[in-house]
Amino acid sequence: MSYLALESPLPTGTLVAWLAAFAGCWLIVRCLTGPPARLSRRTELYVLRMLLLATLVVVLLNPVQVSETPGTVERPEVFYLVDSSQSMMLGDPTTRFEDALRAMRSASAAAQSSPVDVKLFRFGQRLLASAAVDDSGESPISSSSGAPPAGLTPAAFATESRVPDRKKDRPKAPLAPTDSDTQLMTALRQISSRFGHQPPAGIVVFSDGRARDETGVADVVSPFKRLGVPVHVLPTGSLGKRGDISIVAVVIPPRVRKYSEVEAQVFIRSFGYDGVRTEVTLTAPAKGDKPARELASLPVTLRSGFQAVSLTFRTTTESHGVVVSITEADQEISDANNQLTSDVSIDRTKIRVLYIEGSAAPLTATVVNNRQVLRGPFTDISTALMSDDDIECVVLSSAQGGRLRRVSDYSYDSTRGFPETKAELAAFDAIILSDIPERILTSTQIDWIEEWVGRRGGGLLMAGGPNSFSAGGWSESKVAALLPVELLPGTDWNSSEQIRWLPLRGSTQHPIWDLYREERRNDEALSNIPPFSGANRFAAVKPNLTITIADGSITGSSPKTPGAAQRPTDGATLQDAFRRLFTTAEPTAASAERGDADKGTSAAVVLGRYGRGRTAAIATAITPPWAGEFTANWKAGDQTNFPRFWRNLVYWLTENSSIGRRRLIASADKKFYSPGDKILISSSAFDELARQTKDYRIVAMIEPGGSLKDAIGDYSPFKWPEGIPRTSGEDGPYIAWGEELEIPLSEAGDAPHYAMTLGIADALDSGAANQSLRLELTAYEDLTQVDSTSLDIQVLHDPFELQNPFPNHDLLRQIADLSGGRVLNGADDLAQILRDIPVKVGPPIISRAPLWSRWWLWLWMIGLLTIEWVWRRKIGLA
């Protein structure tokens, strides 16, 4: 406010005396000098002189303009400590974290008149200043809304001063519940370092109380009471629940082939539901006009803690998302963590099939669209395979003179036969040997096939015929060791038999028999497989890593082949025992109805594994004339059964062969790891001739993936391995993102390979319960890049933070009692705390401005004197 005051330098009495003395002197002088001249006794002159005299009196009285401004307001500070650990994501229907944010916002709106300055911090694994309530940047926490607080004038509010923030340049962390650990006592111990020149008026802790460091509460909290800083607590989370079930992580290969079998590792954490039965489900979400569909499901019996389950599903032709969910239990703390989403991408790299056909049926020429086209016994199968855009089929035929020559629809290449090098063979993913004798290949080529299947993951199929299996001389070759069946000695082909495939009950769910999505249509197709003429017999099905998906129902003449493991209808053989032990499969109902006329059954379609690769044996021939009905008449409303079967068979055979054409192959010893584990990285390099080599330099680099793509920090959770030179200039214990390290050559084993062991940090630092990382490997020959590949690595752990999902309100209550704070029951209590905090106002600021110091006053006096002088001269006075 502003007002006028008379602050004369002389006391009023003295001033009056001086004025009286001046008037007396003037009268005496006047009496002595006589009256003034008549000319000078003008009214105008008297008025001017009286104005000058009055102005002089006013100056002597010294009027002063006094301005009084209220003292500065020091806004009291309140520190908000918000629990940002993953347990705050629990809750139903809203999470504990959302409840805390809602209380902050509601209290801010209810206490708008409070001048409190709120400082926001998050704590979990560490204490960090936070600039916003959430990632959107919205920060409605400050109680000041721009209006003056109650009891303060607008001027006082306008001149408020704040304690300077000496750490204003410190990076602000987003406020989100991401930390995998809660260290509440550590946060309270560290918060004192954030105090300004005076401590805050109070601290408010928003938490569920679930913390790792629950000991030493009194030692940490009692000093706040001595400082006069009460620690108030606002507990979140309900105690009236039974427990919680959550899906922690899911590990699915990021890139897979279509029509392939994919294994998904699902990691579950539960508390309070021991022995409860539930179900884990994989679902492909709806996309466009395609509805959601279930991929797989598995019943699970829960046990407290961490557990893992595996589910398998078949891919289709398109990339899609995968939703992993677990059935919600009664009285569960939260259902928001009962679901997790991942993605599956389809690798569209072409599958290359080398189809070797030995049938003696001649080639024929026909005209199609005015162009001559070659046809042979291989045409039906090669056409069926190449009807899939992602399959390429190269046909070798021995029909002309017993030599393998490459055949296409339009040419017969007599100069090109079986691949001439291992590198050329490695360009294929699958080999089909149909009615081919062993003599057609050299021992070197057979060695290549054995290595190609066992080490490179190729897929091998041998189909029956007069020149296949033992009848073709394969029983003593290395190929016999690859096949999933034991071969008979001597001749095992019988051309007089008629055999019909009987898909076994239990095996009809195998991906090879997955011809149609509609179960009825699929069953109809399998029950109408046409018969074959002639068949090979096997001594037995190998017991390890094999499965029989179809038996052969034998009719017609069936002379017993010496030593053959025939399956009578009224008894069980050793082969049956093995089959039931490893496949638990029986003939389908449709097959059983036809079985009354059968003279016996024998394994017809057998699948197996060898090393990295997969193998299959079909007891029947697959080309005319032996399979004429099969290739021409397998129908179920249309003619797509035949190509669908061959497509499925090739995709199953080549599921492990995606690395077949690579010159750098890498693998890890496990699919997932825990903090503190060691990961063994192994890689093999191949030269241009597909020979394993040690002449390359293998460089590895770690990149963040998944939840770590926006990770804060420069270092991965992997420790720098001992004994490996470091040329990047880094000297920390951990490998920096993108830092290169060279994988040394390993001397262990027969073949040259590269290997390295990396240690994982004892605790994840990103705040996530799991981390997905990608290891990029590149092979160099001198400075030339030869090939590159990558490994996806999943690091999982069971953090203490989530082992017990129930809140610990007792700990929070103890903190409030020891510090002199209160337990707040909601936003109203918090708003009352903010309103009750006193405001310190400094002494008022007073400023004085004397009237005589104003320029216009002196201009007034000079003006009056000038006018009086001019007037006197004008009338003739001296």
Side-chain angles (χ1 to χ4, degrees):
M1 62 181 177
S2 180
Y3 58 90
L4 284 174
L6 298 177
E7 297 183 1
S8 174
L10 298 175
T12 304
T14 303
L15 182 60
V16 171
W18 276 99
L19 290 175
F22 177 77
C25 292
W26 182 79
L27 290 173
I28 292 172
V29 171
R30 188 64 178 269
C31 291
L32 293 176
T33 60
R38 182 179 181 81
L39 186 62
S40 65
R41 288 182 292 175
R42 291 177 175 268
T43 304
E44 295 85 350
L45 293 176
Y46 280 118
V47 171
L48 289 172
R49 289 166 183 168
M50 290 303 295
L51 288 174
L52 283 169
L53 182 60
T55 301
L56 182 60
V57 171
V58 170
V59 171
L60 291 174
L61 291 175
N62 192 23
V64 175
Q65 179 73 37
V66 179
S67 297
E68 184 175 338
T69 303
T72 56
V73 178
E74 293 188 1
R75 293 179 60 180
E77 290 184 336
V78 171
F79 285 7
Y80 280 4
L81 268 65
V82 184
D83 190 343
S84 296
S85 62
Q86 291 181 3
S87 66
M88 293 290 285
M89 284 300 294
L90 300 175
D92 185 28
T94 58
T95 67
R96 300 169 184 176
F97 192 75
E98 291 171 342
D99 293 340
L101 296 188
R102 185 177 296 108
M104 294 182 209
R105 294 190 176 102
S106 300
S108 176
Q112 288 187 1
S113 61
S114 172
V116 170
D117 184 16
V118 173
K119 302 290 186 182
L120 192 61
F121 297 87
R122 58 169 285 172
F123 70 92
Q125 289 174 294
R126 63 175 67 89
L127 178 70
L128 295 171
S130 184
V133 170
D134 52 32
D135 290 331
S136 66
E138 179 186 7
S139 182
I141 295 302
S142 177
S143 297
S144 177
S145 61
L152 295 180
T153 64
F157 186 68
T159 58
E160 66 173 350
S161 65
R162 301 187 183 185
V163 176
D165 185 4
R166 293 173 295 184
K167 298 181 176 61
K168 63 188 301 183
D169 296 329
R170 184 190 299 267
K172 305 298 184 182
L175 192 60
T178 57
D179 286 11
S180 59
D181 195 9
T182 306
Q183 300 187 34
L184 176 54
M185 295 302 110
T186 302
L188 289 173
R189 189 180 296 110
Q190 294 174 348
I191 196 64
S192 59
S193 65
R194 307 298 181 98
F195 293 174
H197 68 274
Q198 61 182 7
I203 298 173
V204 183
V205 177
F206 301 84
S207 176
D208 57 7
R210 180 55 56 191
R212 178 189 292 273
D213 52 350
E214 298 180 359
T215 58
V217 180
D219 295 336
V220 174
V221 177
S222 297
F224 288 101
K225 187 172 186 178
R226 294 194 294 269
L227 285 174
V229 181
V231 180
H232 311 288
V233 296
L234 196 153
T236 61
S238 172
L239 296 172
K241 300 289 184 178
R242 178 179 175 182
D244 189 60
I245 307 170
S246 65
I247 294 180
V248 179
V250 56
V251 179
I252 299 178
R255 293 186 63 83
V256 295
R257 284 185 168 172
K258 64 181 185 180
Y259 307 120
S260 62
E261 187 176 78
V262 179
E263 181 182 19
Q265 289 278 342
V266 181
F267 298 89
I268 305 169
R269 180 188 295 107
S270 64
F271 186 90
Y273 291 98
D274 280 1
V276 173
R277 295 278 291 179
T278 185
E279 188 174 56
V280 178
T281 305
L282 303 183
T283 305
K287 184 177 181 181
D289 57 350
K290 296 182 179 179
R293 59 188 178 88
E294 183 177 305
L295 301 175
S297 62
L298 184 71
V300 177
T301 301
L302 297 175
R303 63 177 186 271
S304 291
F306 214 52
Q307 61 187 109
V309 296
S310 295
L311 294 90
T312 57
F313 65 95
R314 301 295 299 181
T315 59
T316 59
T317 58
E318 297 179 352
S319 302
H320 58 81
V322 177
V323 178
V324 186
S325 58
I326 190 167
T327 307
E328 182 183 358
D330 293 335
Q331 298 183 348
E332 192 174 348
I333 290 176
S334 175
D335 62 354
N337 51 10
N338 289 35
Q339 182 173 293
L340 207 61
T341 301
S342 185
D343 293 294
V344 169
S345 297
I346 299 299
D347 184 357
R348 302 306 297 264
T349 305
K350 272 190 176 292
I351 297 174
R352 300 195 68 206
V353 178
L354 182 63
Y355 174 23
I356 306 176
E357 177 58 58
S359 173
L363 301 180
T364 60
T366 184
V367 177
V368 177
N369 296 328
N370 298 321
R371 189 171 183 181
Q372 182 171 308
V373 176
L374 292 177
R375 293 292 188 228
F378 50 79
T379 300
D380 292 313
I381 293 177
S382 63
T383 301
L385 291 176
M386 288 191 291
S387 64
D388 188 306
D389 293 337
D390 295 326
I391 296 179
E392 176 185 346
C393 183
V394 174
V395 178
L396 301 181
S397 175
S398 65
Q400 302 294 328
R403 299 176 60 191
L404 291 178
R405 291 295 177 258
R406 187 165 296 192
V407 184
S408 67
D409 283 346
Y410 307 110
S411 66
Y412 182 82
D413 189 347
S414 61
T415 63
R416 301 181 66 188
F418 192 86
E420 297 180 356
T421 64
K422 283 201 298 184
E424 187 180 351
L425 178 63
F428 292 94
D429 298 283
I431 297 176
I432 298 176
L433 299 177
S434 173
D435 200 14
I436 282 289
E438 187 266 350
R439 60 177 172 77
I440 209 73
L441 299 177
T442 67
S443 59
T444 300
Q445 291 170 338
I446 291 177
D447 290 341
W448 289 354
I449 292 176
E450 191 275 336
E451 182 181 350
W452 173 80
V453 174
R455 296 187 179 182
R456 303 297 293 252
L460 175 67
L461 164 66
M462 179 174 284
N467 296 303
S468 287
F469 300 109
S470 292
W474 292 98
S475 59
E476 300 299 326
S477 72
K478 287 186 176 181
V479 171
L482 309 182
L483 299 176
V485 294
E486 297 286 354
L487 302 186
L488 290 169
T491 300
D492 56 1
W493 169 258
N494 188 334
S495 61
S496 63
E497 292 182 338
Q498 187 179 65
I499 186 169
R500 186 186 296 269
W501 289 358
L502 305 177
L504 299 180
R505 182 179 291 114
S507 74
T508 55
Q509 303 301 317
H510 195 279
I512 290 180
W513 296 135
D514 186 17
L515 307 179
Y516 302 97
R517 289 187 180 180
E518 301 87 349
E519 184 176 355
R520 179 195 59 78
R521 189 179 183 188
N522 203 73
D523 290 343
E524 182 180 356
L526 297 183
S527 63
N528 287 288
I529 301 176
F532 299 80
S533 297
N536 297 85
R537 291 296 187 92
F538 306 135
V541 174
K542 293 179 180 178
N544 295 322
L545 303 176
T546 60
I547 178 174
T548 302
I549 64 170
D551 273 348
S553 175
I554 303 171
T555 59
S557 176
S558 56
K560 293 184 179 180
T561 304
Q566 190 177 15
R567 180 180 171 183
T569 57
D570 58 350
T573 65
L574 181 61
Q575 180 182 346
D576 297 327
F578 278 130
R579 183 182 298 111
R580 290 176 177 173
L581 178 62
F582 291 102
T583 70
T584 65
E586 292 296 334
T588 61
S591 303
E593 292 177 2
R594 291 199 307 261
D596 294 340
D598 291 347
K599 294 188 177 181
T601 57
S602 177
V605 183
V606 185
L607 310 177
R609 300 173 185 267
Y610 180 83
R612 290 178 179 268
R614 292 182 173 185
T615 61
I618 296 179
T620 60
I622 57 176
T623 58
W626 315 107
E629 291 189 55
F630 177 66
T631 58
N633 300 322
W634 187 10
K635 301 178 181 179
D638 55 38
Q639 297 182 357
T640 61
N641 300 338
F642 186 76
R644 287 172 185 264
F645 167 77
W646 284 107
R647 175 201 68 191
N648 290 351
L649 181 56
V650 164
Y651 274 103
W652 182 86
L653 283 172
T654 60
E655 279 189 16
N656 298 335
S657 69
S658 59
I659 59 173
R661 294 188 291 275
R662 303 201 65 90
R663 294 179 62 182
L664 178 62
I665 300 173
S667 62
D669 56 334
K670 293 191 296 184
K671 292 183 177 180
F672 55 89
Y673 302 84
S674 299
D677 284 353
K678 293 185 181 296
I679 173 173
L680 176 61
I681 306 296
S682 179
S683 63
S684 301
F686 299 86
D687 61 18
E688 63 277 4
L689 298 178
R691 296 174 302 197
Q692 203 162 345
T693 181
K694 60 181 179 179
D695 296 333
Y696 296 156
R697 184 169 58 94
I698 311 298
V699 175
M701 184 171 59
I702 301 172
E703 296 288 351
S707 63
L708 283 184
K709 288 182 179 177
D710 300 319
I712 298 175
D714 299 326
Y715 295 93
S716 73
F718 289 153
K719 300 176 182 178
W720 184 269
E722 296 181 1
I724 295 181
R726 197 169 193 175
T727 59
S728 63
E730 298 284 350
D731 56 2
Y734 295 99
I735 302 173
W737 299 117
E739 183 179 5
E740 291 187 346
L741 68 159
E742 189 169 328
I743 302 181
L745 186 67
S746 175
E747 301 296 336
D750 299 332
H753 69 286
Y754 301 81
M756 178 177 62
T757 300
L758 296 176
I760 304 175
D762 295 333
L764 298 184
D765 195 41
S766 72
N770 62 88
Q771 291 184 2
S772 176
L773 306 102
R774 187 175 61 256
L775 187 66
E776 300 281 353
L777 295 98
T778 306
Y780 292 94
E781 185 176 18
D782 296 328
L783 298 178
T784 302
Q785 179 176 326
V786 175
D787 197 3
S788 62
T789 187
S790 64
L791 288 174
D792 289 295
I793 299 170
Q794 197 83 16
V795 182
L796 306 168
H797 76 302
D798 189 17
F800 174 85
E801 170 66 22
L802 295 176
Q803 291 178 8
N804 185 343
F806 287 103
N808 186 357
H809 292 176
D810 291 339
L811 175 64
L812 299 176
R813 190 175 296 107
Q814 186 180 4
I815 291 173
D817 292 342
L818 291 172
S819 65
R822 290 175 51 191
V823 177
L824 310 179
N825 295 319
D828 292 340
D829 288 354
L830 178 57
Q832 189 62 46
I833 289 289
L834 298 178
R835 286 193 293 263
D836 291 345
I837 294 176
V839 178
K840 293 182 180 180
V841 181
I845 301 173
I846 300 176
S847 60
R848 292 174 171 81
L851 193 62
W852 56 266
S853 65
R854 307 298 173 90
W855 63 270
W856 53 265
L857 178 62
W858 292 103
L859 184 61
W860 165 262
M861 293 180 66
I862 293 172
L864 290 176
L865 290 172
T866 303
I867 293 171
E868 194 266 347
W869 179 80
V870 172
W871 193 273
R872 287 179 63 198
R873 293 296 299 269
K874 185 177 181 182
I875 63 176
L877 292 175

